[in-house]
Amino acid sequence: MRALVVDDDPASRQVLAAHLGGLADCVLCESGASAVSAVAEAIVEGQPFDVVFLDIIMPHMDGHETLAQIRETEETACLPPSERAKAVMVTSMDDEANTLNALFDGQVAAYLIKPANRSQLLDKLSVLGLLPS
């Protein structure tokens, strides 16, 4: 599995990458702009990401805006929907407005509250069909 972890906080990126250790080849990005570039590069290389973990609150381009640009990049590359990355919003905010925006408007497959533990992460990946049951 290929995973993209996007968070402006280095510690949060490292924790999530550690939880994914042994399960995924992880690429870490500190901003929405670098994430969009990483997705485009992965598609060109023929190795698109299976899952993208996005922090909602980031400077310059938040997680919602980043996901919109990622989806646009996938669309432009004519990546079939079945091959597009599953998006998981990772945030410290546990409010209904952001949850609904992420899940419905943002084409997000799951929502994970920080600090996520490995068990919660594995449960989400299993529900998304990214891990064997």
Side-chain angles (χ1 to χ4, degrees):
M1 169 175 33
R2 288 185 38 86
L4 178 63
V5 177
V6 187
D7 198 311
D8 59 312
D9 177 52
S12 293
R13 286 193 306 269
Q14 291 302 322
V15 167
L16 199 49
H19 287 332
L20 290 165
L23 299 171
D25 172 24
C26 293
V27 173
L28 308 180
C29 290
E30 73 286 344
S31 70
S34 63
V36 174
S37 294
V39 167
E41 184 178 317
I43 291 170
V44 167
E45 292 174 353
Q47 296 182 16
F49 291 102
D50 299 298
V51 61
V52 176
F53 294 91
L54 289 162
D55 182 21
I56 288 182
I57 299 177
M58 295 185 291
H60 310 294
M61 185 187 312
D62 70 18
H64 298 292
E65 295 167 317
T66 301
L67 182 56
Q69 287 196 22
I70 287 172
R71 294 298 186 223
E72 189 176 304
T73 300
E74 291 170 330
E75 182 74 25
T76 300
C78 299
L79 203 62
S82 62
E83 293 180 27
R84 294 178 187 175
K86 303 240 192 277
V88 178
M89 286 294 182
V90 184
T91 184
S92 57
M93 298 185 319
D94 187 13
D95 67 85
E96 187 175 346
N98 268 296
T99 302
L100 291 175
N101 186 33
L103 292 175
F104 298 107
D105 297 339
Q107 301 177 42
V108 173
Y111 197 83
L112 198 56
I113 304 297
K114 290 180 187 179
N117 63 43
R118 185 172 167 91
S119 176
Q120 292 168 323
L121 177 63
L122 296 178
D123 286 346
K124 295 287 183 189
L125 292 174
S126 182
V127 167
L128 296 175
L130 294 170
L131 291 179
S133 24

